[in-house]
Amino acid sequence: MVSDLAFYLAARGWEVGAITSRQRYDDPNARLPKHEIVRGVAVRRVWSTSFGRHFLPGRAIDYATFYLSAMFAMMNQRRATIVAMTDPPMLSAFAALASRRVVNWLQDLFPEVATAVGMRVPRFVWRVRDWSLRRARRNVVIGESMQAPRRVVIHNWADASLRPVEVPHENFIVGYSGNLGRVHDVDTMLGAMNRLRGDDVELVITGGGAKLGEVRAANLPNVRLEPYAPRERLAESLSAADAHLVTLLPAAEGLVVPSKFYGILAVGRPVIYVGGRDGELARLVRDNDCGIAVESGDADGLANAIRALASDRERARAMGRRGRALYEQRFAPEIAFAAWEKVLGG
């Protein structure tokens, strides 16, 4: 998302810089250049420790050292508008200390999302977060039900190159693409696949995340794991499924919107949404008939939804076509980019 927006703005004549880490998301030992110009964007990669994402105390140290390095880098850009992300969490506070010209891009609401998955967050963290949001010029949220002061809703999008691709296969394939993290409902998904053992249905999980270990431990014969698909193969990877799962724990409704939803619409595949009955994505799926919404915990309902689409491929394809139309109407990149230019130029 950040790359898409930065490259778009640079191509439109904006002066754009990026302050980021020298690590890669999937490789803490990577050592990327400190300075680089990428498609017109001046990238500055600041120092941090490199323990990686899988060792929680080390991850906290990585965050702390990145916060300090990034804050000093932002302090040297006082005339610029700073767009602060939410990974790592609480970056908004360090941005607020560094600049009065901050726009927070809230991909999720922390610490609410941490509380939703059972973590205890000290009260002062909430106070500091609230102060940083009140101090910002704008807070861009990605969902209609996400709340913040000075809120502007700009939905996420998918890669502009994503289009439906024909990928021949025999079984009915259900895809799950991207992160399978702490806010996602893995239990309902695995329960449904356990009930579908005798059907010609396969679940292909392409990606990673904190709950992938639970999938491996279940050891279901109709579940296959694949690594993250490179961007240039994403259209083919997403199109290889007949339908896609999007899951979200009900406690996380209104705190995060799974970005995988937009890529599924873009390749014209139906969405099987597992989450709160009245959640934002559940309503979008029902109102636009671009898939099936199943309540979290209803493994039988999910299995039946998959069976229904597997037995009526034309219905599934029609849902996918309606999803693609919805994407073009409301969630295409150019819609979000125009909204961002308005926010940053205001």
Side-chain angles (χ1 to χ4, degrees):
M1 298 296 159
V2 173
S3 298
D4 286 348
L5 179 59
F7 296 150
Y8 170 83
L9 292 173
R12 293 269 293 171
W14 290 68
E15 185 178 348
V16 183
I19 299 170
T20 185
S21 168
R22 296 177 195 172
Q23 302 177 33
R24 293 177 58 90
Y25 181 86
D26 55 353
D27 182 6
N29 297 313
R31 286 296 176 266
L32 300 171
K34 295 180 182 180
H35 298 278
E36 189 176 7
I37 303 294
V38 183
R39 292 173 55 182
V41 177
V43 181
R44 178 178 178 183
R45 298 186 177 95
V46 299
W47 176 85
S48 68
T49 55
S50 55
F51 291 100
R53 301 179 68 87
H54 302 294
F55 174 54
L56 287 180
R59 184 175 180 180
I61 296 171
D62 287 352
Y63 282 174
T65 51
F66 175 77
Y67 289 142
L68 293 175
S69 293
M71 184 178 70
F72 287 123
M74 286 185 281
M75 289 174 68
N76 291 325
Q77 302 292 333
R78 287 189 179 273
R79 296 181 61 186
T81 297
I82 303 293
V83 177
M85 299 295 292
T86 50
D87 187 6
M90 297 299 292
L91 191 57
S92 63
F94 292 88
L97 290 171
S99 173
R100 293 300 301 267
R101 298 173 57 84
V102 176
V103 174
N104 290 306
W105 193 353
L106 304 177
Q107 295 288 326
D108 55 54
L109 293 179
F110 180 91
E112 289 91 338
V113 72
T115 303
V117 297
M119 297 175 63
R120 296 184 64 183
V121 180
R123 229 21 258 174
F124 80 89
V125 174
W126 292 80
R127 295 192 187 101
V128 170
R129 191 286 308 270
D130 290 347
W131 165 79
S132 70
L133 298 188
R134 290 194 303 269
R135 187 177 168 92
R137 288 176 55 194
R138 292 287 189 275
N139 292 296
V140 173
V141 298
I142 62 172
E144 303 290 344
S145 56
M146 294 175 69
Q147 300 300 318
R150 298 188 179 90
R151 183 188 82 144
V152 177
V153 180
I154 304 179
H155 295 282
N156 280 346
W157 59 89
D159 191 308
S161 67
L162 290 186
R163 293 286 187 279
V165 176
E166 289 302 319
V167 182
H169 53 267
E170 294 182 5
N171 287 357
F172 188 84
I173 295 179
V174 179
Y176 184 98
S177 181
N179 184 49
L180 187 60
R182 292 177 176 85
V183 299
H184 300 123
D185 181 349
V186 69
D187 292 337
T188 306
M189 180 172 68
L190 293 178
M193 294 312 298
N194 191 41
R195 288 158 173 77
L196 292 168
R197 280 175 180 255
D199 295 60
D200 291 330
V201 172
E202 182 180 28
L203 171 62
V204 179
I205 300 174
T206 305
K211 289 189 174 180
L212 210 57
E214 297 179 36
V215 177
R216 292 192 179 99
N219 196 29
L220 293 171
N222 53 357
V223 177
R224 174 161 50 96
L225 301 180
E226 297 287 348
Y228 282 106
R231 188 165 185 167
E232 60 271 15
R233 289 193 55 250
L234 190 56
E236 179 184 351
S237 175
L238 291 173
S239 296
D242 299 288
H244 278 269
L245 281 171
V246 178
T247 75
L248 189 65
L249 294 173
E253 294 281 1
L255 307 179
V256 62
V257 179
S259 292
K260 56 180 63 67
F261 175 73
Y262 307 103
I264 298 165
L265 297 186
V267 298
R269 296 299 185 267
V271 176
I272 305 176
Y273 180 71
V274 180
R277 180 183 297 275
D278 296 319
E280 182 172 345
L281 294 190
R283 294 194 303 271
L284 273 171
V285 167
R286 286 196 301 267
D287 292 348
N288 295 277
D289 196 15
C290 59
I292 300 174
V294 178
E295 192 160 12
S296 185
D298 187 4
D300 287 326
L302 178 55
N304 290 335
I306 294 171
R307 285 193 182 107
L309 294 182
S311 64
D312 191 346
R313 303 291 184 96
E314 182 48 43
R315 180 191 178 201
R317 285 189 285 269
M319 286 178 168
R321 289 191 293 270
R322 288 190 287 272
R324 174 70 197 188
L326 172 65
Y327 178 77
E328 292 173 348
Q329 179 184 7
R330 292 189 55 187
F331 304 124
E334 56 268 20
I335 299 171
F337 294 160
W340 267 105
E341 283 201 276
K342 185 176 181 180
V343 166
L344 296 175

